[in-house]
């Protein structure tokens, strides 16, 4: 026979204003099986919790129902109190009489009746609750970081410094990400390479960081604490162990006219190359699509057309026959830090919506460039050694026009969000330009200046007030080449005047988009992403660095457009979450997971197909002598999130969700 | 409208002569919101700041706006970003007069002259004298007469002028300034 205690909370005035809490307590006290029923001003307060504990002891309760706020708020509180009094915490449940009653109804009578109904339902459920105990799963105390930009590097360093091993996977030949391409960084104008390269080197040399560059994640199995990751090491064609980074191979490569990705197409590189001088690791890779040796081979030629790099290498480190290799790593947690790419408005687009902007002449007017290209022009390590020279004729531009919000805040292109960093880097560009070309005039067309952040607004004001950048509020409708100059047609919405002006060079602040291939990666990791491909956080406010898959975290610009300070802060936050997770040898999880009745399971595996988390496995049932009798579904308790989808689809009703069994739910419904 | 011409010209001239940086104005409009003359002006204080920053020089000197300013300095007092529109407008008037001494609308010129004559005579404004002088030179003799009784009753119109101590010094200052402005734009006070 059940002995249930009911505790009705006033929540100050929050509940008591609309619900007659005393009446609820009184009515519930009359329910069969309820032997104690009270109301109190703040049930979640210390005295309130004490009331629960004392009642459990005094009345030998077998179940506790707290009629108060949403279980999201205080279920943990009351379950802890229940456990403190020696009762299994899963015998305590909450009836939501605040969000579901008092906050949404006006009539006191109706709200009170509804509160009584809600509480009665939970009483009936709790009568059928069974004691449950938390699930313990072992933890592999290492982490995987995907993406070696500043966010990934920071997360890896923090986790490694915290004492745990890290596997860092970067798809490019070097780590560093976009930050390595930047010239100087807002809001302090410190040299990007100078602050980044020490971190890159540190990550490379760290005894607890295992670096895989030119590698990608092939597949991910497992669950929080126990992931098995397969990594594809793409064939570099250079033996990493033997290469000493002398550069002789690059010097002799005859194919030196390949647009350099690092220089955003403004510089050139060879077919065997290191992307930039400070690359980590400083080991070249052969671009097989551009290398004459591989091109001839791909065409079926048996003649060896080139092999100069191999001949030049004193270490015999160039291996044309190297193959991709697959390695597996066991980790307990994963960080996605794959960063962003810029909306390339000119070339082919990957969706119909992003059809580009013909009106801005990108790709057709040679002196129309994007922000990253301007970074390379302004960078001492760039193709012009830091001189601002326009690409078409190498002349110094005396008038540069910057256009903001190219792609951003443009629902007609499918990008309704603000890219957040452009206002700041455009202000930076106007300054860098003015510092290098004193007589030059920078003009910015903007819609709003969004410069929230420490020292940020001051920074944009400085560009305008001290460095003379002319800011015109309005978008440009069209630009075209007119002889030597670019004609700009715009509108100054502050003075209400159309504007026609000449520029020598135009810089487009194009939108930040997630990296290519994010959807595939997210699917491998079972994490959700928004319609643009940015990784979703588990909660926009309270769980900003977790994803909806336990054990998978997110950092940096792959979650939304962010600048370096934000990316680093997020990476450190992620690292601290992971260090917390990996500080345990075992993980404790809520036991409200699905369970298969193996005796009735018909092995149709509908459950496996509908499970969003990949929690359903096949289990072999064998007889005593080890012969396979049959196969049944089995739920991996480490992975199951307790959503209940499998139950709904099971034709033989062989699945139950602990804590929410059919019997419990049925009883609750019938009590209504 | 070309955006390339002259911006830096007027902007930097303003900065050199007054220390004012019109680029500081971020167009919040608080100056114009408080300006008692804004309704009369085609270019309000924030428009004036903007026109300088963006090089719309011509507009600045086209209408009456810069002459309508009363130099009450509410704009300056209200500005959150430490601009001084009143000073900027003053600069523009100086510049306009330098180009063309007859630039200011006739009644406004008449009023300014009458005002200076009052200062020169009494060292302070004698309202009756100012009104008489202004009306005689401005023409509109009976405009606003109906306001007189009320002002008298509130003691705003003294019957007799009073001259300050040290009037000689004030005269010297006024004369020196007039001589300079004669030199600059050959204008009669
Ligand atoms: C023109 C311009 C100027 C800027 N100037 C500034 C500035 O002055 N100050 C400032 O604070 N910020 C600035 N930023 C923003 C800055 O670039 C970003 O905040 C920062 O680079 C984000 O770091 P991240 O590590 O998240 O991403 P990224 O730098 O994009 O790094 C992501 C890394 O992940 C790798 N990767 C991607 N996909 C995979 C995969 N599937 N597997 C393995 N690896 C993968 C990429 O190769 C890359 O190395 C600027 C941005 C632009 C466009």
């Amino acid at each position: 026979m059940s002995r249930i205690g009911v505790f009705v909370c006033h929540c100050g005035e929050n509940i008591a204003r609309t619900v007659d809490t005393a009446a609820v307590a009184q009515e519930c006290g009359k329910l069969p099986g309820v032997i104690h029923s009270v109301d109190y001003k703040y049930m979640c307060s210390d005295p309130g919790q004490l009331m629960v504990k004392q009642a459990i002891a005094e009345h030998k309760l077998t179940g506790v129902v707290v009629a108060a706020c949403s279980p999201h708020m205080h279920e943990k509180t009351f379950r802890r109190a229940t456990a403190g009094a020696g009762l299994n915490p899963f015998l305590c449940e909450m009836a939501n009489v605040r969000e579901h009653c008092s906050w949404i109804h006006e009539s006191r009578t109706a709200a009170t009746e509804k509160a009584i109904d809600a509480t009665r339902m939970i009483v009936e459920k709790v009568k059928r609750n069974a004691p449950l105990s938390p699930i313990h799963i072992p933890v592999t105390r290492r982490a995987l970081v995907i993406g070696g930009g500043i966010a990934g590097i920071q997360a890896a360093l923090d986790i490694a410094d915290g004492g745990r091993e890290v596997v860092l996977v970067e798809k490019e030949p070097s780590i560093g990400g976009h930050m390595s391409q930047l010239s100087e960084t807002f809001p302090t104008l410190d040299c990007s390479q100078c602050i980044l390269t020490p971190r890159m080197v540190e990550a490379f040399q760290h005894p607890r960081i295992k670096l895989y560059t030119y590698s990608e994640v092939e597949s991910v199995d497992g669950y929080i604490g126990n992931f098995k990751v397969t990594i594809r090491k793409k064939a570099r064609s250079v033996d990493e162990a033997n290469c000493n980074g002398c550069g002789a191979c690059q010097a002799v490569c005859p194919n030196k006219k390949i647009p350099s990705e690092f220089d955003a197409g403004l510089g050139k590189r060879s077919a065997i190359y290191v992307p930039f001088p400070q690359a980590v690791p400083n080991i070249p890779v052969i671009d097989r699509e551009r290398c004459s040796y591989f091109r001839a081979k791909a065409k079926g030629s048996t003649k060896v057309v080139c092999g100069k790099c191999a001949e030049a290498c004193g270490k015999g480190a160039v291996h044309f026959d190297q193959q991709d290799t697959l390695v597996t790593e066991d980790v307990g947690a994963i960080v996605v830090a794959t960063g962003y790419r810029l909306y390339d408005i000119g070339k082919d687009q990957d969706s119909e919506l992003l059809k580009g902007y013909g009106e801005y002449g990108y790709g057709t007017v040679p002196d129309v460039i994007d922000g990253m290209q301007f970074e390379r022009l302004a960078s001492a390590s760039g193709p012009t050694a830091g001189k601002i020279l326009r690409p078409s004729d190498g002349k110094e531009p005396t008038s540069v026009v910057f256009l903001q919000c190219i792609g951003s805040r443009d629902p007609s292109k499918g990008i309704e969000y603000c890219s957040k960093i452009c206002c700041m880097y455009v202000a930076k560009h106007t300054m860098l330009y003015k510092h290098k070309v004193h007589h030059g005039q920078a003009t910015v067309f903007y819609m709003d200046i969004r410069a929230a952040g420490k020292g940020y607004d001051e920074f944009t004001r400085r560009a305008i007030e001290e460095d003379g950048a002319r800011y015109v509020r309005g978008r440009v409708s069209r630009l075209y080449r007119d002889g030597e100059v670019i004609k700009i047609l715009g509108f100054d919405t502050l003075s209400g005047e159309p504007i026609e002006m000449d520029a020598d060079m135009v810089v487009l602040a194009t939108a930040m988009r997630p990296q290519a291939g994010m959807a595939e990666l997210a699917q491998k990791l079972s994490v959700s992403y928004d319609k643009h491909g940015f990784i979703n956080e588990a909660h926009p406010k309270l769980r900003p660095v977790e994803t909806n898959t336990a054990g998978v975290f997110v950092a940096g610009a792959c979650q939304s457009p962010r600048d370096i300070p934000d990316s680093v802060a997020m990476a450190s936050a992620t690292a601290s979450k992971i260090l917390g997770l990996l500080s345990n040898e075992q993980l404790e999880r809520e036991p409200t997971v699905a369970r298969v009745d193996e005796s009735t399971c018909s092995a149709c595996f509908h459950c496996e197909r509908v499970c969003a988390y990949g929690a359903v496995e096949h289990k072999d049932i064998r007889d005593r002598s080890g012969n396979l009798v049959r196969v049944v579904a089995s739920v991996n308790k480490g992975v199951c999130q307790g959503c209940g989808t499998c139950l709904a689809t099971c034709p033989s009703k062989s699945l139950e969700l602990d804590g929410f069994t059919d019997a419990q739910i049925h009883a609750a419904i019938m009590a209504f | 409208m070309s955006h390339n011409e002259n911006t830096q010209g007027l902007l930097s001239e303003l900065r050199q002569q007054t220390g004012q940086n019109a680029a500081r104005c971020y167009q919040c409009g608080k100056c114009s919101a408080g300006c008692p003359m804004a309704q009369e002006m085609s270019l309000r204080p924030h428009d004036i700041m903007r026109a300088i920053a963006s090089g719309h020089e011509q507009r600045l000197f086209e209408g009456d706006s810069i002459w309508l300013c009363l130099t009450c300095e509410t704009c300056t007092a209200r500005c959150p970003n430490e601009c001084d529109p009143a000073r900027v407008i003053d600069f523009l008037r100086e510049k306009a007069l330098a180009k063309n001494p007859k630039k200011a609308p006739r009644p406004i010129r008449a009023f300014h002259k009458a005002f200076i004559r009052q200062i020169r005579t009494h060292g302070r404004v004698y309202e009756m004298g100012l009104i008489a002088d202004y009306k005689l030179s401005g023409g509109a003799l009976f405009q606003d007469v109906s306001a007189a009784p009320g002002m008298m009753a509130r003691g705003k119109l003294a019957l007799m002028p009073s001259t300050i101590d040290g009037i000689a010094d004030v005269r010297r200052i006024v004369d020196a300034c007039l001589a300079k402005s004669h030199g600059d734009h050959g204008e009669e006070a």
Side-chain angles (χ1 to χ4, degrees):
Chain A
M1 180 63 200
S2 303
R3 301 173 63 82
I4 309 287
V6 174
F7 303 86
V8 186
C9 180
H10 302 182
C11 194
E13 281 280 283
N14 271 308
I15 295 170
R17 188 185 302 125
T18 328
V19 170
D20 183 346
T21 43
V24 176
Q26 203 184 359
E27 279 309 303
C28 290
K30 297 179 194 157
L31 296 172
V34 173
I35 58 153
H36 180 70
S37 186
V38 288
D39 62 311
Y40 182 63
K41 194 158 180 144
Y42 289 111
M43 222 66 221
C44 62
S45 65
D46 267 355
Q49 292 180 49
L50 197 64
M51 283 171 73
V52 175
K53 286 184 193 168
Q54 280 171 346
I56 292 173
E58 217 168 282
H59 301 283
K60 304 204 164 33
L61 297 181
T62 61
V64 170
V65 174
V66 184
C69 52
S70 159
H72 274 304
M73 306 291 298
H74 273 304
E75 190 178 76
K76 276 210 175 97
T77 312
F78 294 113
R79 285 195 167 166
R80 236 181 275 127
T82 304
L87 196 62
N88 183 287
F90 293 90
L91 299 175
C92 163
E93 301 238 10
M94 295 184 73
N96 185 348
V97 297
R98 193 178 73 174
E99 285 85 342
H100 288 178
C101 287
S102 68
W103 276 359
I104 52 167
H105 297 302
E106 282 176 2
S107 154
R108 191 171 168 85
T109 337
T112 304
E113 263 172 44
K114 185 173 172 186
I116 294 168
D117 283 342
T119 313
R120 190 183 329 111
M121 289 171 77
I122 299 296
V123 166
E124 287 310 316
K125 176 167 186 260
V126 168
K127 282 185 191 170
R128 288 154 185 86
N129 274 18
L132 299 173
S133 39
I135 301 165
H136 292 281
I137 44 178
V139 179
T140 309
R141 298 163 86 185
R142 313 165 80 213
L144 167 76
V145 176
I146 309 173
I150 184 59
I153 293 174
Q154 183 69 40
L157 284 174
D158 284 356
I159 298 169
D161 286 344
R164 300 291 158 211
E165 268 178 42
V166 179
V167 178
L168 176 56
V169 176
E170 166 58 55
K171 75 172 182 344
E172 299 296 329
S174 169
I175 54 171
H178 285 98
M179 189 175 167
S180 62
Q181 292 176 276
L182 305 180
S183 52
E184 290 165 23
T185 51
F186 63 73
T188 42
L189 292 188
D190 36 4
C191 149
S192 188
Q193 292 265 3
C194 311
I195 54 177
L196 174 66
T197 47
R199 301 264 163 121
M200 291 163 61
V201 173
E202 200 184 334
F204 184 57
Q205 294 173 343
H206 204 293
R208 278 187 292 275
I209 297 180
K210 192 164 172 187
L211 184 59
Y212 290 103
T213 52
Y214 210 49
S215 302
E216 282 179 58
V217 169
E218 182 85 0
S219 64
V220 179
D221 288 316
Y223 50 92
I224 181 169
N226 299 275
F227 294 106
K228 197 173 261 320
V229 184
T230 308
I231 297 162
R232 175 178 293 272
K233 288 189 68 183
K234 293 178 279 187
R236 235 179 220 274
S237 319
V238 173
D239 179 358
E240 293 179 46
N242 277 342
C243 169
N244 62 0
C246 70
C249 52
Q250 300 179 64
V252 298
C253 178
N255 196 350
K256 288 203 172 62
K257 293 255 159 61
I258 302 163
S260 150
E261 294 82 0
F262 183 76
D263 279 333
L266 295 179
K268 303 269 184 276
R269 65 161 170 85
S270 43
I272 183 165
Y273 72 108
V274 174
F276 54 105
Q278 302 93 324
V280 167
N282 182 25
I283 295 169
V285 26
I286 296 182
D287 175 354
R288 293 191 170 183
E289 304 211 322
R290 304 300 211 330
C291 164
S292 337
Y293 175 94
F294 284 102
R295 286 169 63 127
K297 221 173 133 191
K299 283 200 199 112
S301 159
T302 46
K303 239 179 46 214
V304 176
V305 294
C306 183
K308 291 210 166 78
C309 48
E311 287 158 28
C313 180
K315 293 277 185 180
V318 177
H319 291 187
F320 291 118
D321 52 358
Q322 210 181 53
Q323 301 289 321
D324 287 6
T325 47
L326 295 178
V327 286
T328 55
E329 294 282 358
D330 291 326
V331 295
I334 299 176
V335 184
V336 189
T338 49
Y340 67 98
R341 66 177 145 160
L342 287 180
Y343 176 19
D344 180 349
I345 67 165
K347 311 216 182 83
D348 298 338
Q349 299 298 335
D350 48 19
S351 100
E352 184 49 33
L353 261 182
L354 297 159
K355 47 192 174 292
Y357 287 90
E359 63 268 38
Y360 293 147
Y362 187 73
T364 55
V365 180
D367 294 322
V368 177
I369 61 173
D370 71 14
M372 196 48 92
Q373 290 176 312
F374 189 87
E375 292 285 342
R376 295 314 300 148
L377 288 182
S379 170
S381 72
T384 55
K387 291 206 177 68
I388 309 288
L389 303 175
R390 62 183 204 168
S392 66
D393 51 11
K395 282 196 193 139
E396 190 177 71
T398 52
S399 160
V400 179
V401 167
F402 296 87
L403 309 187
Q404 291 196 177
C405 294
I406 303 301
S408 310
R409 303 174 70 194
D410 191 339
S412 77
K413 297 279 188 280
I415 304 182
E416 60 279 12
Y417 57 85
C418 163
S419 291
K420 192 173 172 191
I421 57 159
C422 330
C423 286
M424 285 299 287
Y425 78 62
V426 168
K428 173 182 79 174
H429 288 174
T430 68
M431 289 177 168
L432 295 180
Y433 171 57
K434 192 71 184 179
H435 297 172
K436 298 194 179 207
V437 184
H438 300 306
H439 59 285
Q441 176 64 55
T443 306
V444 178
F445 284 85
Y446 72 101
M447 298 213 292
D448 296 287
I449 303 176
R450 296 182 167 174
K454 191 170 181 175
Y456 280 24
D457 198 55
E458 298 91 314
F459 184 82
T460 56
R461 293 310 305 170
R462 202 166 97 215
I464 297 169
E465 294 169 14
E466 300 311 323
D467 288 326
R470 196 185 323 131
Y471 270 62
V472 181
R473 191 188 178 283
R475 276 194 193 236
V476 162
S477 97
R478 184 162 87 91
L479 52 83
Y480 58 93
R481 193 155 199 206
D482 185 14
E484 284 274 285
V485 298
I486 301 166
K487 281 257 179 254
I488 314 265
L489 305 180
F491 197 88
D492 180 348
T493 58
L494 289 181
S495 43
E497 298 256 359
I499 289 175
E500 193 186 321
M501 65 176 287
D502 295 346
D504 297 326
M505 190 163 91
V506 173
V507 184
L508 307 175
T510 46
M512 256 173 141
R513 297 180 57 211
Q515 280 282 358
M518 274 325 281
E520 295 76 41
L521 182 66
Q523 281 156 17
K524 282 179 196 164
L525 295 164
S526 294
V527 299
S528 71
Y529 48 95
D530 69 14
K531 65 175 176 174
H532 306 289
F534 288 113
I535 301 289
N536 282 340
E537 63 283 9
H539 187 283
K541 281 154 254 175
L542 301 178
R543 296 170 65 199
V545 301
E546 290 153 86
T547 66
N548 62 337
T549 294
V552 182
F553 299 79
V554 60
C558 60
Q559 184 260 353
S560 78
R562 325 182 152 264
D563 59 14
I564 297 164
D566 269 13
S567 301
V568 170
M570 192 173 182
S572 290
T574 300
S576 85
K577 278 271 164 202
I578 289 181
L579 285 172
L581 171 68
L582 300 184
S583 66
N584 306 297
E585 305 222 350
Q586 283 198 325
L587 285 184
E588 208 173 80
R589 294 209 48 211
E590 287 266 298
T592 45
V593 292
R595 179 167 36 80
V596 178
D597 182 347
E598 291 172 0
S599 63
T600 54
C601 171
S602 62
C604 68
F605 293 109
H606 282 330
C607 48
E608 185 186 17
R609 279 185 286 278
V610 297
C611 178
Y613 307 96
V616 179
E617 296 167 353
H618 294 215
K619 180 175 169 189
D620 295 345
I621 307 273
R622 292 178 188 275
D623 63 17
R624 267 184 218 150
S625 37
N627 304 316
L628 183 64
V629 182
R630 54 196 192 96
V631 180
V632 291
S634 165
V635 175
N636 185 324
K637 294 184 173 190
V639 187
C640 175
Q641 301 287 318
C643 72
T645 311
C646 54
L647 280 62
T649 193
C650 179
S652 61
K653 296 221 167 299
S654 302
L655 280 147
E656 280 283 27
L657 188 59
D658 278 341
F660 299 90
T661 60
D662 281 356
Q664 288 170 295
I665 302 294
H666 186 253
I669 294 171
M670 295 317 285
F672 178 67
Chain B
M1 156 103 248
S2 164
H3 227 254
N4 284 356
E5 53 162 46
N6 253 335
T7 355
Q8 291 308 347
L10 196 59
L11 249 183
S12 59
E13 201 182 323
L14 171 73
R15 204 164 179 183
Q16 267 158 25
Q17 294 198 12
T18 66
Q20 282 297 308
N21 182 1
R24 283 189 75 94
C25 170
Y26 47 43
Q27 293 289 292
C28 70
K30 199 176 175 196
C31 49
S32 301
C35 174
M37 293 304 285
Q39 293 199 328
E40 314 292 327
M41 296 168 143
S42 58
L43 288 183
R44 291 143 297 175
H46 77 279
D47 295 322
I48 292 175
M49 300 297 282
R50 179 77 190 160
I52 297 183
S54 54
H56 292 163
E57 186 162 344
Q58 255 201 308
R59 287 171 72 185
L60 288 165
F61 298 112
E62 263 163 10
D64 284 354
S65 303
I66 59 173
W67 304 105
L68 290 173
C69 167
L70 305 173
T71 324
C72 70
E73 299 193 346
T74 306
C75 50
T76 302
R78 299 272 162 87
C79 177
N81 207 26
E82 302 176 326
C83 299
D84 185 349
R87 181 70 191 90
V88 171
I89 292 171
D90 231 26
F91 160 83
L92 292 172
R93 288 169 171 163
E94 285 165 18
K95 228 180 124 56
L97 288 178
K99 274 198 199 145
N100 173 9
K102 301 266 182 282
K103 184 70 198 171
R106 215 171 95 88
I108 294 177
R109 248 185 307 146
F111 181 84
H112 279 280
K113 283 182 191 165
F115 185 87
I116 296 290
R117 276 197 287 269
Q118 284 301 316
I119 299 295
R120 195 178 177 284
T121 318
H122 306 296
R124 65 193 296 277
V125 170
Y126 165 48
E127 283 82 3
M128 285 291 220
L130 176 75
I131 292 167
D133 188 348
Y134 168 59
K135 298 229 168 254
L136 285 172
S137 47
L141 268 184
F142 295 103
Q143 198 188 330
D144 304 327
V145 229
S146 57
M151 291 181 74
M152 290 272 236
R154 289 193 187 81
K156 297 281 179 201
L157 290 179
L159 283 175
M160 294 300 290
S162 76
T163 300
I164 63 163
D165 296 344
I167 182 67
D169 291 339
V170 171
R171 281 185 192 152
R172 258 194 314 113
I173 295 171
V174 173
D175 288 342
C177 291
L178 287 177
K180 171 134 174 40
S181 78
H182 276 249
D184 284 356
H185 12 100
E187 203 199 2
E188 294 277 334

